[in-house]
Every structure is written in structure tokens, then in C-alpha cells.
Amino acid sequence: MMIEKKRIIFHVDMDQFFAAVEERVHPEYKGKPVIVGADPKKGKGRGVVSTCNYEARKFGVRSGMPISKAWKLCPEAVYSPVNYELYTKVSEEIMNILRKYADKFECWGIDEAFLDVTSKVKDYAEAEALARQIKKEIYEKERLTCSIGVGPNKLVAKIASDFQKPDGLTVVREENAEKFLAPLPVRKLLWVGRKTEQKLKTMGIKTIGDLAHFDPTVLSEKFGVVGTQMYLMARGIDRSEVEERGEVKSISRETTFEEDTLDFGLVLDNADRLSEEVLKDVLRQNLYFKTVTVKVRYENFETHTHSKTLPFFTNRLQDLNRTARELLEAYFRPDRKIRLIGVRVSSFVSGEKQKTLA
Ligand code: TTP
Ligand code: MG
């Protein structure tokens, strides 16, 4: 029988994301209510609130609310226009920090991501320590806080990240998942929209616990496949995988030496060859990259990766060669034979986009 390894999944969600980025740019906003969205035009403006900081939430302001209503609730707030370009850039930086902690990584919207960290930690205690480390790195590098949920699957992790906000960390072990979910409103489950919520209410189901104790056959009669899905989710069960989606995220090549080696000239020659191959792929796909990562495996299989993000996008071989060599040289030890090296580039923009930026 094959025993499946228990997964450990993180969901990371930035706190008051657009507003937090605005506060970082404008320190004078600190402590004030900040509302990011359409121009309020002294209450006559159209359009909605994209997000607001926690000070503004105290006044009842929420994402998606008409900006005119926000003005009524909190005219004294700082109103900021939406600067997507900036938030996208910050988002990319955050995703690059997060990605390196994960076996599998899934970016889920501008300020959220799932990380499968199963092979990185041995138990939930280590998972909690890793989550703290991630929060620390994001804060140190970006001066932004996030909330992290840790759980046995994506569903539980996502609900957990929302449980304590801002700057939260909620760990839900598999054996506690059902108990953790039970008191929460059914609306917290991903599939349950307003209509389903109403329908469930007429059946006497308000909390996730009510749903978990309901007869699953009745649920599938009333809601079809979604009914069965909802029931499983209410029991804390979700088998969906964390998966990379969308366009190419990285291009890499690696090589294992015929014999483990201390000949660093040979290692560097091979690095140049790998860089050349990687670059061919980059050019073929008309991409420009910004991040270079090298991987080194010593003879005892101890494996390290290290990245450097350049201050510009490039598609030049000499940039890649130089950066890869520099990163690799830091791993050369007179007493440690090298077994394998790898070169990877990531953080792409397409050639089309690069032209408009230049
Ligand atoms: P959220 O993570 O939902 O919100 P948030 O990060 O602002 O606050 P929280 O601390 O509760 O996580 O959304 C992320 C960003 O997406 C948010 O900063 C702005 C944008 N957004 C909209 O533009 N419109 C919306 O209706 C919502 C919900 C978010
Ligand atoms: Mg958020």
C-alpha cells in the first residue's frame, strides 16, 4: 500500500494591500484612515472603494462600496487613486520572496499565494517557524505585513489566513480542521455565494458545522456536485493541488558532473554553458529576465539555491554569465566537492512590454 505523505499548505495574504503600499510611499498617511479607489469628488464621485486600511474600516468603509458612501462614512480620510502599476511591481517582489520557500507555488491574485511546503518541514511546529520566517523576510524587505494560514490543504489554509488579521498567523492541524471550521459561517467556504447561503439558511444551515452534520445525500440532491463538494469542504477535506498556473515563470538547466569535482574552473565553464542554453530559451520566447538563481549540490547531496535580482530587466548573456558565476563562487570550498549545478532565470517581462518600458 502506498502511504501518502500528509501535506502542509500555507496561504499568504497581504494586509490591506493597496492601502499598505500607499502608506509606505506616503509615511505622512500613518495613523490616518486611508481609502484607495475612485475619486470621491466631495461625495459626488462615482466608482468604488478598492480597499482601505484598518483605521478606515473602523468607520465601516469596505472594499467594493460606492466611493460616495465611503465619503459619507469618513470624509476626513485620505483618498488615494489606484496605482496598479506600483502594486503589481510590489506584488511581483513579494511573490519572488514567497516562491523560494515552496515545493509548489500558486500565485492567487495580486496579494495572495498558496505554498506547498510539505518537503520543507517535518511537522506543524516547524511549519509555524517557517511561516514566522516568511513574515519576517517580507517585513524586512518590503516593510509590509501579511497574514498566514497553515493547514493540511488549500481550503483550511485559506480560511486560516483570514482568521486573524492583520499580521496574523493561524496554524490548523489536520486533526483540528473540522473543529476549527465548525463555528464559522458557511459563506467562508469558497463555493458558497450569497444565493447558496440563503438557500442553506432556509434548510437551517448557518455554520460550516451545521453543514458538516447534514445528510450529504440531501445536499447532493439539492445542489448536485456542488452539494457534495460543500459537504467535503465542511468536513475540512480538500484534495486540490497547489499548482503553478499561467505563463512561463522560470527557465532553467542543470548538470551533474561525471565525477564530483573540486575543479572550480570546470564548474564555471559548465555554468557558462548552462547560461548559454538558458539564454537561448529566453530569446526564443522573446523574454527579458531580472532574477538569476543558481543551485549547487555537494557530494553529500546537500543542496543550496541562491538568487540575485538585478536592478533591470535584461536578455544579455554577459549579465547572466556574470551573475551566475558570482552566485556560484560563494559556494566554492576547498574541501567540498560539487556534484551538480543549475542556472535559472525568472521574473520575466515579454519583449513587447520591455519596448514600451524602455
Ligand atoms: P484583499 O486581500 O481582499 O484585501 P486587502 O489586502 O486590502 O485587505 P485584507 O487585510 O483584509 O487582506 O484584496 C487585495 C487587494 O485587491 C486590495 O488591497 C485591493 C484589491 N481589491 C479590489 O480592488 N477590489 C475589491 O473588491 C477587493 C476585495 C480587493
Ligand atoms: Mg489582502
Side-chain angles (χ1 to χ4, degrees):
M1 195 179 79
M2 216 175 79
I3 298 173
E4 219 174 291
K5 186 164 192 268
K6 300 263 185 221
R7 296 183 298 158
I8 297 189
I9 310 292
F10 288 5
H11 179 256
V12 182
D13 188 311
M14 301 305 296
D15 300 321
Q16 45 182 26
F17 185 52
F18 293 4
V21 175
E22 291 300 337
E23 280 184 23
R24 195 178 74 174
V25 179
H26 304 278
E28 68 275 17
Y29 293 176
K30 262 259 137 45
K32 295 182 185 163
V34 177
I35 298 173
V36 182
D39 183 349
K41 296 187 177 155
K42 298 202 185 317
K44 297 198 171 61
R46 297 168 64 111
V48 298
V49 174
S50 290
T51 195
C52 59
N53 66 1
Y54 285 81
E55 279 80 1
R57 290 181 202 190
K58 288 183 201 152
F59 293 83
V61 181
R62 295 284 180 271
S63 290
M65 173 183 279
I67 199 78
S68 53
K69 184 164 177 205
W71 181 267
K72 272 196 201 117
L73 292 169
C74 192
E76 69 270 38
V78 174
Y79 284 84
S80 164
V82 184
N83 184 354
Y84 279 110
E85 222 170 298
L86 173 62
Y87 314 143
T88 307
K89 193 171 151 277
V90 177
S91 169
E92 275 169 15
E93 287 167 12
I94 290 162
M95 296 302 162
N96 287 335
I97 293 174
L98 294 176
R99 187 174 281 120
K100 65 180 198 289
Y101 285 98
D103 297 322
K104 286 191 265 177
F105 178 80
E106 185 172 354
C107 171
W108 187 264
I110 195 161
D111 83 328
E112 294 175 49
F114 288 103
L115 285 69
D116 186 326
V117 299
T118 307
S119 87
K120 311 274 185 200
V121 293
K122 116 175 153 285
D123 54 25
Y124 275 89
E126 280 192 16
E128 182 169 344
L130 183 66
R132 284 197 199 287
Q133 191 184 332
I134 291 175
K135 284 165 68 76
K136 184 160 171 268
E137 182 170 348
I138 292 183
Y139 190 74
E140 280 171 359
K141 296 215 166 117
E142 300 290 335
R143 293 283 143 198
L144 295 170
T145 64
C146 65
S147 298
I148 302 186
V150 178
N153 55 46
K154 285 163 81 174
L155 171 83
V156 174
K158 173 133 171 92
I159 296 176
S161 75
D162 191 45
F163 191 68
Q164 271 184 292
K165 248 184 173 296
D167 204 13
L169 171 56
T170 304
V171 179
V172 182
R173 292 160 190 254
E174 186 164 32
E175 59 270 29
N176 300 330
E178 212 176 325
K179 210 167 66 201
F180 166 72
L181 297 174
L184 304 173
V186 284
R187 192 67 203 277
K188 293 270 177 195
L189 296 179
L190 303 175
W191 292 60
V192 179
R194 232 174 275 276
K195 272 197 188 148
T196 313
E197 185 184 19
Q198 278 310 317
K199 212 163 158 188
L200 288 170
K201 208 167 152 193
T202 62
M203 297 162 69
I205 301 170
K206 283 189 194 152
T207 64
I208 298 179
D210 296 338
L211 191 58
H213 289 104
F214 212 81
D215 182 350
T217 44
V218 178
L219 290 169
S220 83
E221 274 162 23
K222 291 233 182 217
F223 299 95
V225 190
V226 176
T228 312
Q229 278 282 353
M230 280 194 303
Y231 176 76
L232 289 173
M233 286 184 167
R235 303 277 312 272
I237 299 165
D238 170 23
R239 297 196 198 287
S240 64
E241 296 280 337
V242 173
E243 47 194 341
E244 292 273 0
R245 295 174 305 148
E247 72 278 52
V248 192
K249 293 275 165 54
S250 71
I251 296 174
S252 63
R253 290 286 185 283
E254 54 183 48
T255 188
T256 305
F257 295 101
E258 268 170 22
E259 277 178 40
D260 303 345
T261 183
L262 281 174
D263 181 349
F264 300 131
L266 177 76
V267 173
L268 290 176
D269 286 346
N270 273 279
D272 288 352
R273 177 176 62 81
L274 295 176
S275 295
E276 216 171 295
E277 286 181 24
V278 165
L279 199 85
K280 268 189 212 153
D281 254 3
V282 168
L283 294 174
R284 208 174 291 137
Q285 301 188 45
N286 192 22
L287 296 170
Y288 286 69
F289 62 89
K290 203 158 80 161
T291 302
V292 178
T293 305
V294 298
K295 175 161 146 186
V296 174
R297 180 168 295 151
Y298 291 116
E299 57 185 336
N300 65 351
F301 278 81
E302 187 184 308
T303 307
H304 298 262
T305 59
H306 194 47
S307 304
K308 179 171 178 175
T309 297
L310 302 168
F312 46 83
F313 288 100
T314 177
N315 66 352
R316 295 193 317 174
L317 183 59
Q318 70 188 86
D319 292 331
L320 178 54
N321 272 341
R322 196 182 316 128
T323 315
R325 279 171 164 254
E326 178 193 315
L327 288 167
L328 277 172
E329 274 164 0
Y331 288 106
F332 293 169
R333 302 275 182 284
D335 55 347
R336 303 202 68 181
K337 286 189 178 167
I338 292 178
R339 176 183 165 81
L340 167 154
I341 57 164
V343 174
R344 181 169 80 215
V345 297
S346 56
S347 313
F348 296 125
V349 287
S350 76
E352 314 315 325
K353 205 163 161 201
Q354 175 69 8
K355 273 183 214 120
T356 64
L357 289 174

